[in-house]
Amino acid sequence: MYDVIIVGCGITGAAAAFALSRYKLSVLVLEKENDIAIGATRANSAIIHAGYDPEPGTLMARLNVRGCEMAAELCAQLDVPYKNCGSLVLAFDDNDVKSIRALYERGVQNGVKRLELIDSRRLRELEPCVSDKAVAALYAPTSGIVNPWEYALAMAEVAALNGVKFLLSHPVTYITGQLGGFTVTSCGEQFNARYVVNAAGVDSAAVHEMVAEKAFTIKPSRGDYFLLDKSEGSRAKHTLFQCPGPAGKGVLVSPTVHGNLLAGPNAVSCLDAHRVNTTAEGLAFVKTHALKSVPGINFRDTIRSFAGMRANSDRNDFIIGFPVPGFLDLAGIKSPGLTCAPATGEYAAGLLEQHGLELVKKDSPVTARRKIRFKELSIPEKQRLISENPLYGRVICRCETITEGEIVEACHSPIPPVSVDGIKRRAGTGMGRCQGGFCGPRVLEILCRERGISPLEALKDGEGSVILFNETKAGGRA
Ligand SMILES: Cc1cc2nc3c(=O)[nH]c(=O)nc-3n(C[C@H](O)[C@H](O)[C@H](O)COP(=O)(O)OP(=O)(O)OC[C@H]3O[C@@H](n4cnc5c(N)ncnc54)[C@H](O)[C@@H]3O)c2cc1C
């Protein structure tokens, strides 16, 4: 019998596991996909929002401000790329000026620190590439950017080091029981727990309905993005928003922690929450709106386009609570769920304690993580590392200068990757201009060697994404 089973491991599930892993508890995480953080957590704007957007008094507002406050220190502790770049909401006309004033008031009510309304002269000092049609802005210096999937991975890895068990490729299909505990079915196996936490993102309503009456609806909304080469990375120093509308925070232009430029997202309601393809119309919309903020962006330097799916719901807030005793929903975690995550994890642990889970601190839990990032080392450090382990002397990903040593380290990390993209998310291979065109086959080779599998079994990303195919074996052409 586990104390807690967490269903789903995006950043919300990872943060809950991280928070609970400090206590003397047995915790199991069941994730449907073959890696963690490959739902909304891997495809979003990567912004640590300051907290002026959510409606005052909502849980979302509270967790947003707390999550933003936690981000810098937690990212340093977990060795996760984070930059406190600040954000600007641009106003282009009188209506927009009214909107940024309203956002300012909201921010003050939500407890956001150091917010400022600034005029066009100050705006241009802060952000020289911004459109000359922008007349004013709301400046939020506490906002930042992060590597979202690494944030989740880091929390999950530390949780794993503290004894939390992770089972990937384990979709939860059935949950029974209530008082005295639950039986959770996945892949034909049954797991028992006293408490269950539902962190299933766009599927959180389906998981909720395994144990309780329907209470809310997830209304998935897709957002398309352009990721531009580092040659465009200096177009924006801050995250540049436009005024939010009914469909969300609007199209932004932002630097990324890797030095690229990000433009997006639009917002398109979708019936199928799992179809995360971009569309030509969606990308055209993003381009037009991004150019309104920063007219000089050269979209010919796009290195990737992608889409993410928001777990919007029919509520104006996150859906966090116990629909039946012992079963905690962390549902409808829409934007700013990434920012909120560490605060949501803490809050979830507190709620479980209020509902009878005993939280006894471990004597010395792991709280930090360190990674070798070869390209960031000094020359003497590089030399010392290579002399200790020559694999650090072999650069595999030329665009990002990622060595074989880092890839091997990723292969044996606490939650080991099973795909080429799993290595990308841990080591950063294939993140550069060639997007894995050059290093992909070498990464595949190392993955197969380290996992002891045949190249025919190696996956690009999710289940079924085999890269190599033996036509002779399959009965096709020899
Ligand atoms: C376009 C877009 C832009 C965004 N921008 C920002 C931003 O800039 N800043 C910000 O703070 N937030 C942003 N967000 C919101 C943020 O990304 C999400 O709130 C956050 O990632 C949600 O994390 P999650 O863990 O709740 O969901 P997910 O990351 O979707 O994880 C849910 C997990 O549950 C698993 N699962 C589902 N069903 C089952 C099952 N039956 N059994 C087992 N596992 C299951 C899934 O496979 C998945 O891994 C954005 C979101 C989108 C889509």
Side-chain angles (χ1 to χ4, degrees):
M1 169 83 87
Y2 288 94
D3 291 311
V4 184
I5 289 181
I6 298 171
V7 182
C9 197
I11 196 154
T12 306
F18 177 65
L20 292 173
S21 77
R22 286 171 222 151
Y23 303 101
K24 292 180 180 171
L25 296 170
S26 58
V27 179
L28 170 67
V29 178
L30 294 169
E31 167 53 51
K32 151 172 92 105
E33 301 295 340
N34 66 4
D35 201 357
I36 71 159
I38 61 175
T41 298
R42 81 158 150 191
N44 54 63
S45 305
I47 311 304
I48 298 298
H49 290 287
Y52 50 75
D53 199 53
E55 209 171 294
T58 58
L59 190 55
M60 206 155 71
R62 214 171 90 201
L63 296 174
N64 185 160
V65 174
R66 170 87 184 122
C68 180
E69 281 167 2
M70 291 170 84
E73 198 180 322
L74 185 58
C75 288
Q77 183 185 322
L78 298 175
D79 199 0
V80 171
Y82 161 84
K83 192 174 172 199
N84 172 215
C85 59
S87 71
L88 293 157
V89 185
L90 307 176
F92 291 91
D93 56 29
D94 290 349
N95 273 341
D96 285 353
V97 171
K98 275 189 208 143
S99 291
I100 59 169
R101 283 202 185 119
L103 287 176
Y104 174 85
E105 295 302 333
R106 256 188 197 201
V108 171
Q109 283 188 59
N110 288 345
V112 180
K113 300 200 176 89
R114 291 161 54 212
L115 275 179
E116 253 184 89
L117 287 165
I118 59 171
D119 62 15
S120 64
R121 192 185 53 80
R122 178 91 200 285
L123 170 60
R124 261 156 217 94
E125 277 167 20
L126 288 172
E127 198 60 77
C129 290
V130 84
S131 162
D132 55 14
K133 296 202 171 64
V135 292
L138 172 66
Y139 178 35
T142 55
S143 172
I145 49 177
V146 72
N147 176 343
W149 58 85
E150 199 170 338
Y151 204 9
L153 263 165
M155 288 197 257
E157 285 179 1
V158 169
L161 291 172
N162 281 325
V164 172
K165 185 169 176 187
F166 287 80
L167 290 179
L168 306 180
S169 299
H170 268 72
V172 169
T173 44
Y174 204 62
I175 306 176
T176 53
Q178 253 188 54
L179 292 174
F182 297 87
T183 299
V184 177
T185 304
S186 175
C187 299
E189 285 175 81
Q190 296 196 324
F191 304 93
N192 297 315
R194 291 166 56 219
Y195 293 85
V196 171
V197 175
N198 169 16
V202 289
D203 296 316
S204 52
V207 172
H208 167 101
E209 286 164 34
M210 290 178 190
V211 294
E213 291 293 309
K214 180 180 170 76
F216 58 90
T217 307
I218 296 293
K219 298 182 155 184
S221 164
R222 201 198 69 233
D224 297 3
Y225 291 90
F226 288 97
L227 180 68
L228 289 102
D229 188 56
K230 289 180 182 161
S231 55
E232 288 295 296
S234 57
R235 293 267 181 211
K237 294 181 183 157
H238 304 78
T239 300
L240 302 174
F241 293 100
Q242 293 173 5
C243 285
K249 298 184 188 72
V251 171
L252 59 82
V253 173
S254 181
T256 73
V257 284
H258 301 108
N260 301 78
L261 191 76
L262 186 69
N266 56 339
V268 180
S269 297
C270 294
L271 292 175
D272 184 347
H274 301 102
R275 285 195 63 170
V276 280
N277 56 296
T278 57
T279 64
E281 305 91 276
L283 290 172
F285 178 93
V286 167
K287 192 170 173 179
T288 307
H289 283 74
L291 288 170
K292 182 178 172 190
S293 297
V294 184
I297 300 173
N298 177 10
F299 279 93
R300 294 182 64 155
D301 277 348
T302 297
I303 58 170
R304 196 178 191 87
S305 59
F306 64 91
M309 194 65 78
R310 303 171 182 89
N312 288 354
S313 74
D314 54 359
R315 307 270 185 90
N316 190 27
D317 203 349
F318 294 157
I319 302 158
I320 297 188
F322 290 86
V324 298
F327 181 94
L328 174 61
D329 276 325
L330 302 179
I333 307 292
K334 51 192 162 185
S335 183
L338 168 69
T339 309
C340 297
T344 308
E346 268 186 0
Y347 183 64
L351 284 177
L352 288 165
E353 187 180 29
Q354 282 169 26
H355 284 75
L357 179 68
E358 210 184 337
L359 298 185
V360 179
K361 281 222 166 89
K362 283 180 179 153
D363 295 334
S364 47
V366 180
T367 52
R369 187 190 78 136
R370 276 286 153 263
K371 274 184 76 170
I372 293 174
R373 297 179 209 274
F374 183 80
K375 69 178 168 193
E376 291 172 12
L377 300 178
S378 65
I379 301 272
E381 285 169 333
K382 283 179 179 162
Q383 283 166 341
R384 187 160 26 86
L385 191 61
I386 293 169
S387 69
E388 284 165 10
N389 181 352
L391 292 182
Y392 287 98
R394 188 169 174 236
V395 172
I396 300 293
C397 170
R398 289 186 191 175
C399 302
E400 295 295 309
T401 324
I402 310 291
T403 63
E404 184 164 0
E406 289 161 280
I407 297 172
V408 170
E409 192 192 353
C411 286
H412 300 286
S413 55
I415 303 173
V418 298
S419 67
V420 168
D421 283 2
I423 293 186
K424 173 181 179 175
R425 287 186 285 277
R426 286 159 181 82
T429 43
M431 293 278 296
R433 184 174 283 182
C434 89
Q435 287 287 295
F438 176 79
C439 64
R442 291 180 178 192
V443 173
L444 181 142
E445 220 174 84
I446 300 167
L447 174 72
C448 292
R449 185 188 74 207
E450 297 300 317
R451 295 199 69 224
I453 58 168
S454 149
L456 294 174
E457 295 170 65
L459 298 176
K460 165 79 170 67
D461 193 7
E463 297 296 349
S465 62
V466 282
I467 300 169
L468 298 171
F469 188 70
N470 184 339
E471 290 190 330
T472 319
K473 250 191 173 170
R477 276 178 294 130

